[in-house]
Amino acid sequence: MQKKQKPSIVSVVNLSKSYPSGFQALKKVNLEIEDGEIIALLGPNGAGKTTLISVICGIVNPSDGSVIVDGKDIIADFKETRSRIGLVPQELSVHSFESVWTTVSFTRGLFGKAPNPSYLEKLLKSLSLWEKKDDMIMTLSGGMKRRVLIAKALSHEPKILFLDEPTAGVDVELRKDMWNIVRDLRKQGVTIILTTHYIEEAEEIADRIAVINKGEIILVEDKKLLMQKLGKKQLSLDLTIEVKKLPAALKGYELELVSGGKQLIYTYDPQAKENGITNLLDVLRKSKIPFKDLNTTQSSLEEIFVQLVKEEK
Ligand SMILES: Nc1ncnc2c1ncn2[C@@H]1O[C@H](COP(=O)(O)OP(=O)(O)OP(=O)(O)O)[C@@H](O)[C@H]1O
């Protein structure tokens, strides 16, 4: 069943980008980003993720097509659309001698917003930066600097936040902290678009997944539906005897004997009306092939992603 579409906060229509070198980084991209969602943009190196984000944020000019942000065109109404967007860039270029507070207040001013110390206090507290507000940015740890980048991006109260590889090179603990920060922002109604190489990151926090490859969006899907639709299930049975040949009654089943015939793996479609498990177990019993344990696994988003990108090649 198709989920009812929520209103879009960002509409990307037939967007193409060719760099002056002649390289076409985006090819007629169409993408509707729903208000209040977390969408993960997945793709291999050089797929066009940063280019797409950069066009939407007005950093790179499109060659063709249009982008509407919160009802306004990114070129005709650049200032207005940009003020609705916060961008956390990939590069950590925060070697500043300024304090956290000064930097974040200054960034807010750049967007023409009146000072609002109580908002900034709340923001810094939510990012666990309040204690560090008077510290010089260059003295902070890598993780703290990343939090400062998020604070800067949120300083002007944007409705939409782009995170370009938010957890690249950070440790597991900080990654989990980041995920909590992103979830909290969504609760506050901020729409979040993140690019990531870590598929488990998309699996963990995204509502929808968009896969981009060679400048083209090859799939946009609700994460849960995607995993149900494309995630094959496997039933694995630990046999108590070594089996060399499978009973003829199991012809047509997608079965594999591994571990020298002591394990049987059955791959099936979890969406199918009949998954065949009852019959499989029945045939094994009748054929006197006993097993001592069984478990099922579903393919991860990583496997689905690798398969999708491979099919496109
Ligand atoms: N200024 C530029 N001039 C020419 N080509 C560029 C320029 N910027 C990016 N490209 C090319 O466009 C393609 C898409 O790059 P982009 O940075 O958008 O990819 P990406 O998906 O973000 O990759 P990564 O995951 O490695 O960050 C790449 O082949 C890149 O080399």
Side-chain angles (χ1 to χ4, degrees), residues 63-77:
S63 309
D64 203 6
S66 62
V67 181
I68 305 295
V69 170
D70 207 11
K72 305 238 182 277
D73 184 89
I74 53 155
I75 294 176
D77 306 299

Side-chain angles (χ1 to χ4, degrees), residues 123-307:
L123 177 64
L124 293 186
K125 282 184 174 160
S126 74
L127 292 166
S128 310
L129 278 173
W130 186 242
E131 311 285 292
K132 306 274 178 194
K133 73 177 171 39
D134 298 317
D135 290 15
M136 220 193 280
I137 291 179
M138 63 177 298
T139 66
L140 300 178
S141 68
M144 286 292 170
K145 282 183 184 154
R146 238 169 234 273
R147 286 164 193 260
V148 173
L149 284 178
I150 298 181
K152 276 171 59 144
L154 292 170
S155 64
H156 60 292
E157 301 168 60
K159 293 173 78 169
I160 307 158
L161 183 67
F162 285 89
L163 294 150
D164 200 359
E165 300 276 346
T167 60
V170 310
D171 63 23
V172 179
E173 208 176 318
L174 181 60
R175 185 167 304 156
K176 294 208 165 135
D177 267 8
M178 288 283 179
W179 293 347
N180 286 331
I181 291 169
V182 168
R183 286 194 195 102
D184 281 349
L185 288 170
R186 200 240 328 246
K187 274 192 213 143
Q188 293 162 34
V190 179
T191 303
I192 292 146
I193 299 102
L194 63 98
T195 72
T196 182
H197 278 135
Y198 301 106
I199 296 170
E200 78 268 21
E201 183 156 278
E203 193 163 343
E204 179 73 27
I205 59 172
D207 300 310
R208 285 200 308 155
I209 308 283
V211 178
I212 180 165
N213 193 28
K214 296 183 188 153
E216 287 177 280
I217 300 264
I218 56 173
L219 171 138
V220 189
E221 183 71 272
D222 182 276
K223 178 187 65 189
K224 289 198 189 108
L225 284 179
L226 177 69
M227 296 183 68
Q228 269 173 20
K229 244 200 293 197
L230 300 180
K232 287 232 169 152
K233 264 198 152 177
Q234 285 195 326
L235 169 71
S236 123
L237 298 158
D238 291 338
L239 308 176
T240 32
I241 53 166
E242 271 178 30
V243 175
K244 293 281 167 250
K245 202 166 173 281
L246 289 168
L250 293 178
K251 209 169 162 246
Y253 273 70
E254 203 180 324
L255 289 169
E256 200 187 351
L257 272 170
V258 294
S259 310
K262 292 209 73 170
Q263 198 181 27
L264 182 63
I265 295 175
Y266 172 41
T267 305
Y268 61 97
D269 177 2
Q271 298 294 300
K273 261 200 179 133
E274 294 282 335
N275 59 25
I277 291 176
T278 315
N279 189 45
L280 171 74
L281 298 184
D282 210 31
V283 174
L284 291 178
R285 190 175 49 81
K286 283 184 186 144
S287 312
K288 303 208 166 16
I289 302 178
F291 57 89
K292 55 178 188 268
D293 202 2
L294 88 180
N295 65 72
T296 59
T297 49
Q298 180 146 19
S299 44
S300 66
L301 185 58
E302 168 124 32
E303 285 157 318
I304 296 172
F305 172 74
V306 169
Q307 194 58 37

